Amino acid sequence: MSAVALTINGRTKLTGLFGDPVEHTLSPAMHNAAFTALGLNFVYVPFRVPKEALGSAVTAVRALGLAGVNVTVPHKEEVLPYLDHVSEEASLIGAVNTIVNENGQLKGYNTDARGFMRAVRETGFDAQGREAVVIGAGGAARAVCAALALAGVKRIAIFNRTYARGEALAAEVAAATGVETEALLWEELGRSGTGVLRAAEIVVQTTTLGMHPDEEGCPLVSGEAFRPGQLAVDLIYNPPQTRFLRLAAAAGAATQNGLAMLLHQGAAAFELWTKCTAPLEVMRRAVFGNARL
Ligand code: NAP
């Protein structure tokens, strides 16, 4: 497919991102490259939407006839009551990251879970019957736990700084999917938790520890918990190699950073808006080319 120049005219369909902050987002580069490559008359624009403006921003999606938007921090959970319909996956996760405007009806989806699973499958990981550890229990962890449970893992152990939040997530995932779950104390991560981590085939770091500018942040003090044959995933992509990933790689584990999930959640959103197959390689080049590698 040959690339055509992006032209804005009276038929251009508008998509974008609602979040705060949005200055460092890679999504416009990824989506606009994809629209251009397929010759689709769409454009993607980031909008900084402060917390108190979320309701009016969603009203504007209907009023201005936007084709749809992505939703990011801090609105992923708060946006649910403003929508006409929420997908089963997004309801299970309790968060929406993609809105589709179908003739004024706003439908909410969560493509983070699908994006995460597509990303880890690229490494050859098969979730069926595996043991997983998830570090963190925020919005991203909810999507990761739902994805792993729906993909057939046997067990998920969750470590979170605020134990009650990890405990609530473990209980919800078990009740909704029947997968065995356990919430563990944050303080055990470097102690008895090491055995739980070593036993797992996949360890997913979903906290903000290690994210720019806190680049030395890491939930683990050593790489003792890692081993060859394991997959260590960090959802952070800035920096591309967190301390968590460096510890895992040094211990012989396979690693993946958050760019692959970012790419695949974006591709899934693109498909919901355009009903076209996402040009994955074009989007991958846009994301990886713009990331600070
Ligand atoms: P969130 O809902 O705010 O959750 C933050 C998580 O980090 C919570 O578990 C929180 O623990 C923990 N945390 C924060 N500061 C901590 C500290 N100092 N020590 C220990 N734990 C700490 O955020 P989110 O939406 O889940 O996002 C989390 C990360 O995932 C971000 O880095 C985000 O960029 C990334 N992400 C990546 C993608 C992708 O496509 N690659 C998609 C979504 C998110 P408490 O519960 O104790 O507060």
Side-chain angles (χ1 to χ4, degrees), residues 49-199:
V49 176
K51 268 192 173 172
E52 60 282 5
L54 178 63
S56 5
V58 176
T59 301
V61 173
R62 291 192 185 89
L64 303 176
L66 270 66
V69 286
N70 281 140
V71 181
T72 189
V73 178
H75 306 308
K76 283 185 181 182
E77 283 135 41
E78 282 68 20
V79 79
L80 267 76
Y82 295 104
L83 305 176
D84 301 302
H85 172 83
V86 175
S87 76
E88 203 181 323
E89 203 171 21
S91 299
L92 171 62
I93 298 163
V96 158
N97 81 330
T98 304
I99 299 173
V100 181
N101 181 0
E102 285 184 11
N103 305 316
Q105 289 285 302
L106 300 189
K107 301 193 173 176
Y109 298 85
N110 191 307
T111 67
D112 279 339
R114 252 177 283 178
F116 171 75
M117 242 17 253
R118 288 188 198 176
V120 294
R121 281 193 186 117
E122 276 192 344
T123 71
F125 178 77
D126 175 10
Q128 199 63 43
R130 305 290 186 192
E131 302 223 351
V133 166
V134 174
I135 303 176
R142 298 182 67 85
V144 167
C145 286
L148 289 169
L150 296 172
V153 293
K154 188 169 87 185
R155 184 169 186 279
I156 306 174
I158 301 167
F159 289 90
N160 194 50
R161 177 181 62 176
T162 308
Y163 179 76
R165 204 176 179 195
E167 192 182 31
L169 177 57
E172 268 180 62
V173 172
T177 65
V179 166
E180 199 186 313
T181 61
E182 186 183 11
L184 294 154
L185 290 172
W186 185 255
E187 294 69 28
E188 295 306 317
L189 258 181
R191 299 186 222 160
S192 61
T194 303
V196 178
L197 272 100
R198 276 189 81 81

Side-chain angles (χ1 to χ4, degrees), residues 136-140 160-162 165 186 206-208 211 235 258 261-262:
N160 194 50
R161 177 181 62 176
T162 308
R165 204 176 179 195
W186 185 255
T206 74
T207 76
T208 48
M211 188 167 77
L235 299 196
M261 173 173 168
L262 179 77

Side-chain angles (χ1 to χ4, degrees), residues 15-33:
T15 62
L17 172 69
F18 288 175
D20 187 14
V22 293
E23 282 78 6
H24 302 289
T25 175
L26 296 173
S27 295
M30 174 168 66
H31 285 289
N32 288 321

